[in-house]
Amino acid sequence: ASEDGNRSVGDPTETALVLAAAELQIPKPDLEKLFPRVDEVPFDSNRKRMTTIHSVPEDLPEWVDGIATVFPNGTVAASFTKGAVERVIERSASVLVAGQIEPMTEEWERRISERTETLAATGTRVLAAAARGWDEVPSGDRAEQDLVFIGLFGLQDPPRAEVSEAVATAKAAGISTVMITGDHPLTARHIATQVGIGGDGYLVGSELDQMDDSELAEAVQHTSVFARVSPEHKLRLISAYREDGEPTAMTGDGVNDAPALKRADIGVAMGITGTDVSKEAADMVLLDDNFATIVSAVEEGRVIYDNIRKFIKYLLTCNASELAVMIIGPFLGMPIPLLPLQILWMNLVTDGLPALALGVEPAEDDVMNRSPRSASETIFGGGVVQYIGAFGSLMAALSLLVGWLAWNVDDPAWRTMLFTTLIFGQLALALEVRAEKKSLFSLGLFTNRAMLVAVGIGVAAHFALIYVPFLQNIFKTVALGPKDLLISLAAALVILVAAEAWKWRERRTSVSSTERISG
């Protein structure tokens, strides 16, 4: 980490320490000149601490008098250790008290632990610092032996304001949010409670070590906060969720998070604080490191998925109705019901434009109040096939009925009436398919202006086909009189009514299911 004026660069914990030192008039460049780094023992998530080793000058300036006792005469190197409080205490043989070194007794351990818990209970992330002077440069694990405990420092990293709302939105959408952290349990519980994850109970890494896989699978069902965990614990937790059949997304930023990110169904690496290793292991990278962005992405994904289903449902229903008309018509003794150019016109204008408009349909009101779909469910699940079959058959039957009755009395406009009924029926269906359960009248016509334009173009274009002479010649249509036109419109209105009835049934079924679950 480095500090330049008001700008800090690097790991958030490191930059917080750098800025705190700068506020005490101890800039990092001065420290680096005074104590040049010669070696380090990197942070490890199992040890939960790190140590840097520095050469020590013969004469220390006055502003380091507070810890000068740690570096007696003859000291040529100093080790500075920071990390989880309990992991620093276990390597500390003494404690620095008012400039004097005292033995690390059980009483001091108790006092340090109590102070740590007091700070952690307020959501403060607590780290410990220790140091030691050496008459030679130590290496490896030896650099973390018989340390002098110097003190604690706390970091406040309050959750962003939008996280609580995002967690609540995720819960309504059937998505459980779980906190898995290496922080102190009380810190984790406090933050979890703040954001609404439910921090009344928690498990720590040492408890997870005592559980077999079946016990862990049971524990993850009713625990939402896991603290003081290692990368191995994270991997076991992800595996437990997946074994239970739960699609799982995992966020992480460190090198040690990579196995869990890889194991999860969706690994999400942090784009700002994440390491290159975590980004490579993840399926996606969160550029702003904001949990609320994940929830927003889920909502957007649901909207896109819904619109794809509507697009497919509409197009296949229209195509099914046209196919049925062409197959069944001759069996009724009729000539070919639709001419090739008429079918092409329907596919290009009447089917195509409304289908494209469905692609920009706004989110339905309940899009984030639904349970997640099963991962094994295809895009044709949830009644799509039944809908295509029902309304494809209904539109074909109505069109054939109108056309057959007119043909049976030798009305020369019979094919145009059949064509018109099918066109208007498809446009009515386009308006209705915008929502799976919500009525068109409560949804509103103006919530998707692209659809209004598409339907308007379809109606205007069709009227041009049947009333403009040169288009009549091209598409083999005839002008419909008021009676024939009203018959076709009335038949198309049946599609509208049937679709509303279908939605009413879906709403009733949904309410009944909810009542059974609540009961």
Side-chain angles (χ1 to χ4, degrees):
S2 63
E3 186 266 330
D4 180 14
N6 293 323
R7 181 173 179 268
S8 58
V9 178
D11 178 82
T13 299
E14 303 292 339
T15 55
L17 297 177
V18 168
L19 293 174
E23 290 181 2
L24 296 173
Q25 307 303 315
I26 309 175
K28 188 171 187 258
D30 291 354
L31 285 172
E32 290 174 334
K33 291 178 182 177
L34 183 64
F35 297 104
R37 183 180 300 194
V38 295
D39 200 0
E40 71 174 76
V41 183
F43 176 82
D44 180 87
S45 55
N46 291 316
R47 292 168 36 250
K48 290 185 172 57
R49 59 179 176 262
M50 70 166 292
T51 298
T52 58
I53 302 166
H54 307 257
S55 60
V56 178
E58 293 183 3
D59 297 319
L60 293 174
E62 294 182 0
W63 53 267
V64 296
D65 283 348
I67 60 170
T69 309
V70 178
F71 310 128
N73 292 334
T75 296
V76 298
S79 62
F80 294 93
T81 301
K82 73 173 186 294
V85 178
E86 62 271 21
R87 293 304 178 88
V88 174
I89 288 179
E90 70 185 16
R91 292 303 181 98
S92 299
S94 52
V95 57
L96 183 65
V97 182
Q100 301 298 317
I101 296 178
E102 298 183 9
M104 176 63 78
T105 61
E106 291 185 1
E107 173 62 17
W108 272 115
E109 289 186 16
R110 182 188 63 79
R111 291 175 63 179
I112 294 170
S113 297
E114 287 180 353
R115 184 56 179 162
T116 298
E117 291 183 0
T118 300
L119 290 171
T122 65
T124 302
R125 184 185 178 200
V126 186
L127 297 179
R132 180 183 170 180
W134 302 84
D135 56 9
E136 60 180 358
V137 177
S139 61
D141 187 64
R142 182 168 175 262
E144 296 178 346
Q145 299 291 337
D146 298 327
L147 303 177
V148 179
F149 191 92
I150 295 175
L152 306 172
F153 53 89
L155 297 93
Q156 283 282 355
D157 186 15
R160 301 184 186 186
E162 64 271 21
V163 172
S164 296
E165 182 180 352
V167 170
T169 301
K171 184 177 181 180
I175 302 170
S176 300
T177 305
V178 177
M179 178 182 289
I180 304 175
T181 178
D183 288 342
H184 192 283
L186 295 180
T187 303
R189 186 171 68 175
H190 180 86
I191 298 298
T193 302
Q194 276 189 313
V195 300
I197 291 179
D200 292 337
Y202 59 83
L203 289 173
V204 296
S206 57
E207 294 174 308
L208 299 181
D209 288 332
Q210 299 171 7
M211 296 180 180
D212 59 27
D213 291 344
S214 61
E215 291 173 329
L216 183 61
E218 174 65 24
V220 298
Q221 297 301 313
H222 52 77
T223 306
S224 54
V225 178
F226 300 89
R228 285 291 190 246
V229 296
S230 67
E232 291 77 12
H233 295 140
K234 292 180 181 180
L235 193 59
R236 285 192 67 200
L237 287 169
I238 293 298
S239 298
Y241 282 115
R242 294 197 65 190
E243 287 296 326
D244 194 51
E246 301 285 354
T248 305
M250 163 77 183
T251 62
D253 57 5
V255 173
N256 292 317
D257 290 326
L261 289 170
K262 198 75 174 177
R263 174 65 172 154
D265 293 292
I266 303 174
V268 183
M270 300 297 104
I272 299 175
T273 61
T275 60
D276 290 339
V277 174
S278 66
K279 293 176 184 177
E280 286 292 329
D283 298 293
M284 62 178 65
V285 177
L286 190 62
L287 295 181
D288 61 358
D289 290 10
N290 190 342
F291 174 77
T293 302
I294 297 177
V295 178
S296 297
V298 170
E299 180 176 5
E300 187 66 24
R302 289 190 174 190
V303 173
I304 293 171
Y305 185 81
D306 280 355
N307 289 350
I308 291 173
R309 279 169 55 90
K310 294 169 187 175
F311 180 95
I312 291 174
K313 184 192 295 186
Y314 175 68
L315 278 183
L316 292 185
T317 303
C318 292
N319 289 340
S321 66
E322 295 163 18
L323 184 62
V325 164
M326 295 300 292
I327 292 175
I328 297 173
F331 284 99
L332 299 177
M334 302 168 63
I336 296 176
L338 296 171
L339 300 177
L341 203 56
Q342 293 172 345
I343 296 174
L344 180 61
W345 176 260
M346 280 193 292
N347 288 333
L348 289 177
V349 179
T350 313
D351 296 353
L353 291 179
L356 291 175
L358 287 172
V360 294
E361 180 68 30
E364 295 185 43
D365 294 340
D366 66 341
V367 68
M368 291 301 283
N369 292 319
R370 309 173 191 161
S371 298
R373 298 183 185 274
S374 170
S376 60
E377 179 183 307
T378 71
I379 202 165
F380 293 101
V384 171
V385 174
Q386 294 89 327
Y387 191 95
I388 292 170
F391 282 91
S393 300
L394 180 60
M395 281 197 295
L398 288 170
S399 302
L400 285 169
L401 178 61
V402 169
W404 183 84
L405 290 174
W407 171 76
N408 207 40
V409 296
D410 295 326
D411 187 340
W414 71 270
R415 181 178 281 128
T416 303
M417 290 180 67
L418 187 152
F419 185 33
T420 301
T421 302
L422 198 54
I423 288 282
F424 287 159
Q426 291 179 354
L427 294 177
L429 186 70
L431 294 173
E432 286 290 346
V433 83
R434 290 174 51 206
E436 292 197 8
K437 297 177 182 177
K438 194 171 184 178
S439 169
L440 173 63
F441 303 103
S442 57
L443 183 65
L445 290 173
F446 297 97
T447 50
N448 185 347
R449 296 184 182 276
M451 179 61 76
L452 274 184
V453 172
V455 171
I457 291 174
V459 171
H462 186 69
F463 278 133
L465 254 64
I466 61 178
Y467 292 114
V468 176
F470 83 91
L471 291 176
Q472 290 176 340
N473 294 330
I474 295 174
F475 289 91
K476 307 303 180 186
T477 59
V478 297
L480 296 180
K483 179 184 175 181
D484 290 344
L485 183 61
L486 285 175
I487 290 173
S488 294
L489 288 173
L493 186 62
V494 174
I495 300 296
L496 201 69
V497 174
E500 287 293 323
W502 182 285
K503 291 181 182 180
W504 177 82
R505 189 197 67 173
E506 290 293 308
R507 291 194 296 271
R508 289 294 300 269
T509 303
S510 178
V511 169
S512 298
S513 299
T514 303
E515 289 175 349
R516 285 197 299 271
I517 293 172
S518 299

